[in-house]
Amino acid sequence: MKKIGLLSDTHGFLDDAVFKHFDECDEIWHAGDFGPDVAERLAAFKPLKGVYGNIDDKDIRAQFPEHLRFNCEKVDVWMTHIGGYPGKYAPNIKREIYTKPPMLFITGHSHILKVMFDPKIKCLHINPGAAGNSGWHKVKTLIRFCISEEKIHTLEAIEIGNR
């Protein structure tokens, strides 16, 4: 079993609450728009996986890919910053998501926390919302969940305060 801490859209701000809520996690996944200094601080705390976002500079883009597809506890995971959501997938991923769907599709970008199941492709979509102070969202959010035996479970949406 793996405990995952998921966040996105930090835009260079890392709330201390992230460390408290992700303390018992095995890994941290970041769905893009890190901003400066965030990746280094997260990677020093826990193993980190991530993708770059539209605001990320060349250093982040050199360290993280645009799309990351991997297996975690036999769950096929696809993470990208701008990917849309069920019924409104981004044009650049639409073909692949329908022809080779993952079990778990993770995006960021919208600053809107969403957890939706797409019954057409039997895929869980998660957007953790925004954990930083930049953007139009009012509340900073995180997601924490577990993956084991090909199942995604014990999912928690966490509010970490107003931006």
Side-chain angles (χ1 to χ4, degrees):
M1 180 176 82
K2 292 248 183 179
K3 286 182 152 183
I4 307 300
L6 175 63
L7 73 165
S8 184
D9 295 277
T10 45
H11 292 261
F13 176 80
L14 197 53
D15 195 300
D16 289 339
V18 170
F19 299 100
K20 180 183 92 170
H21 290 291
F22 290 174
D23 188 48
E24 293 183 19
C25 292
D26 298 306
E27 294 180 358
I28 297 175
W29 298 354
H30 195 297
D33 280 359
F34 283 90
D37 304 318
V38 169
E40 294 82 7
R41 290 181 62 205
L42 290 174
F45 179 59
K46 298 281 178 173
L48 175 66
K49 285 183 171 66
V51 293
Y52 71 76
N54 55 297
I55 66 108
D56 288 317
D57 65 14
K58 63 179 175 54
D59 294 334
I60 292 291
R61 288 171 189 244
Q63 193 176 357
F64 298 97
E66 179 180 9
H67 303 280
L68 182 61
R69 191 130 186 198
F70 60 96
N71 280 296
C72 179
E73 300 289 307
K74 299 183 183 174
V75 170
D76 180 12
V77 180
W78 182 0
M79 184 167 33
T80 192
H81 185 62
I82 302 174
Y85 56 91
K88 300 254 183 197
Y89 293 113
N92 66 323
I93 62 99
K94 198 175 217 175
R95 182 178 175 166
E96 186 174 347
I97 203 160
Y98 283 119
T99 57
K100 192 179 173 205
M103 282 182 68
L104 176 58
F105 184 57
I106 296 171
T107 63
H109 188 63
S110 71
H111 292 221
I112 300 169
L113 187 145
K114 278 188 189 182
V115 178
M116 301 172 67
F117 185 72
D118 186 341
K120 272 186 174 177
I121 59 172
K122 295 179 178 61
C123 171
L124 181 64
H125 167 261
I126 302 176
N127 184 322
N133 282 335
S134 296
W136 59 271
H137 61 285
K138 294 191 184 319
V139 177
K140 297 178 288 199
T141 55
L142 311 168
I143 297 270
R144 195 169 49 199
F145 62 98
C146 296
I147 299 179
S148 61
E149 300 174 14
E150 299 180 51
K151 292 188 184 349
I152 302 153
H153 59 92
T154 323
L155 191 142
E156 302 169 271
I158 303 164
E159 293 183 352
I160 58 170
N162 296 330
R163 73 168 178 88

